[in-house]
Amino acid sequence: MKQHLTAAIFALAIIVSAAILGNSIVNRNKKSGTVDVTGLGEQNFSSDLVVWEGNFSRESYEIKDAYADLEKDRQAVTDYLVKKGIPKEQIIFKAVNTNPQYQQNYNSSGNFMGRTFLGYQLDQSIQIESNEVDKVEQISREITELLLQGVKFYSQPPRYYYTKLESLKIEMISKATEDARLRAERIAENSGSKLGQLISANMGIFQITGQNSAEDYSWGGTFNTSSKEKTASITMRLSYRVK
């Protein structure tokens, strides 16, 4: 009797094992898994804000004379910019920098013999922030006309910005997400599967580069300020189930 019971248990174990193995084979043949895709959103746009800076200077042995000359230059710069159409309230003059000037003296053996005071150099910077991008850009190129009036003015390259970046970023995310979804659908279709539930979505770095430039993308994000015409881009990495 005991032998018959043992044989029955052994036979049942074989049947259960066969059933489990068969089920594993069936499940292994079912289509399952995920697909990971990266979509790109890109948009060209024109800057709507410009920041331009420049500076002018005067030198004199007496500091009061240098300051008086600098005041004349300041008035000449103001008159010039107002005549060019810049509102006076947009012309921001920064604090005057005072730099004593010295000459280093050495003897014929190259030993330092002290220094001689030559006078003072006074320097003042201006900044203009405006939505009239084209106007300020042109003035930044023509400002050297002040040299004809004896003003030692040095112009810096304008910096260009965009005041609607948040709205632009939302639009880019939407484009990148749609691009990624279409890529995922094509991959699933080509593999004979169907796109399932979205598992995860990860946003890449927001990049702003000059249009048609050779700027490199940065892991921390590129924010171009030297070009008036720019290109914004962002990536979205999506992960979907396929069935």
Side-chain angles (χ1 to χ4, degrees):
M1 181 70 180
K2 185 177 181 181
Q3 291 180 345
H4 289 297
L5 181 61
T6 302
I9 293 174
F10 182 71
L12 180 62
I14 293 176
I15 294 172
V16 171
S17 298
I20 293 174
L21 178 61
N23 187 56
S24 298
I25 295 173
V26 171
N27 287 338
R28 187 178 63 184
N29 290 331
K30 287 184 178 179
K31 295 175 182 177
S32 62
T34 62
V35 58
D36 298 323
V37 290
T38 300
L40 173 66
E42 197 171 61
Q43 179 69 46
N44 293 330
F45 65 96
S46 297
S47 303
D48 62 358
L49 179 70
V50 62
V51 177
W52 171 59
E53 294 178 320
N55 67 286
F56 51 98
S57 63
R58 281 287 184 172
E59 302 86 23
S60 180
Y61 192 83
E62 297 292 339
I63 190 170
K64 63 179 182 179
D65 294 335
Y67 189 80
D69 291 337
L70 196 71
E71 279 293 301
K72 293 178 183 178
D73 290 346
R74 174 173 173 164
Q75 188 59 53
V77 170
T78 301
D79 293 343
Y80 178 87
L81 294 174
V82 170
K83 185 178 179 180
K84 290 289 186 176
I86 301 296
K88 196 170 183 177
E89 59 271 17
Q90 289 184 1
I91 307 172
I92 307 300
F93 287 92
K94 299 183 180 180
V96 176
N97 293 319
T98 303
N99 302 301
Q101 303 294 299
Y102 296 93
Q103 176 181 295
Q104 309 297 320
N105 300 317
Y106 299 87
N107 62 19
S108 58
S109 300
N111 297 319
F112 180 67
M113 300 297 292
R115 58 183 186 174
T116 302
F117 177 70
L118 300 177
Y120 295 93
Q121 181 187 64
L122 272 58
D123 180 275
Q124 189 165 33
S125 300
I126 68 165
Q127 177 177 295
I128 294 174
E129 183 175 313
S130 174
N131 297 114
E132 296 183 283
V133 177
D134 293 336
K135 177 188 287 187
V136 174
E137 182 181 50
Q138 182 175 353
I139 292 173
S140 72
R141 298 193 186 106
E142 299 174 346
I143 194 70
T144 50
E145 293 173 345
L146 283 172
L147 293 173
L148 301 176
Q149 301 180 36
V151 180
K152 297 179 181 179
F153 193 96
Y154 302 93
S155 175
Q156 302 296 323
R159 303 192 304 274
Y160 301 95
Y161 301 92
Y162 190 60
T163 60
K164 305 180 183 67
L165 275 183
E166 289 306 313
S167 297
L168 181 64
K169 186 181 293 188
I170 293 173
E171 182 180 350
M172 294 300 95
I173 292 172
S174 177
K175 286 186 176 183
T177 302
E178 178 65 14
D179 182 52
R181 186 184 63 80
L182 292 174
R183 291 171 186 267
E185 287 180 347
R186 181 62 58 86
I187 292 172
E189 179 182 342
N190 291 341
S191 63
S193 304
K194 290 184 179 181
L195 203 63
Q197 180 184 5
L198 176 66
I199 302 173
S200 65
N202 295 293
M203 184 174 66
I205 300 299
F206 191 56
Q207 309 273 0
I208 297 180
T209 58
Q211 283 185 27
N212 305 315
S213 71
E215 290 178 77
D216 291 329
Y217 289 95
S218 166
W219 288 108
T222 299
F223 190 85
N224 175 286
T225 60
S226 61
S227 301
K228 181 170 63 175
E229 303 299 327
K230 306 178 190 293
T231 299
S233 62
I234 196 168
T235 58
M236 286 294 296
R237 183 173 177 80
L238 306 184
S239 181
Y240 285 95
R241 293 194 188 279
V242 290
K243 52 187 179 179

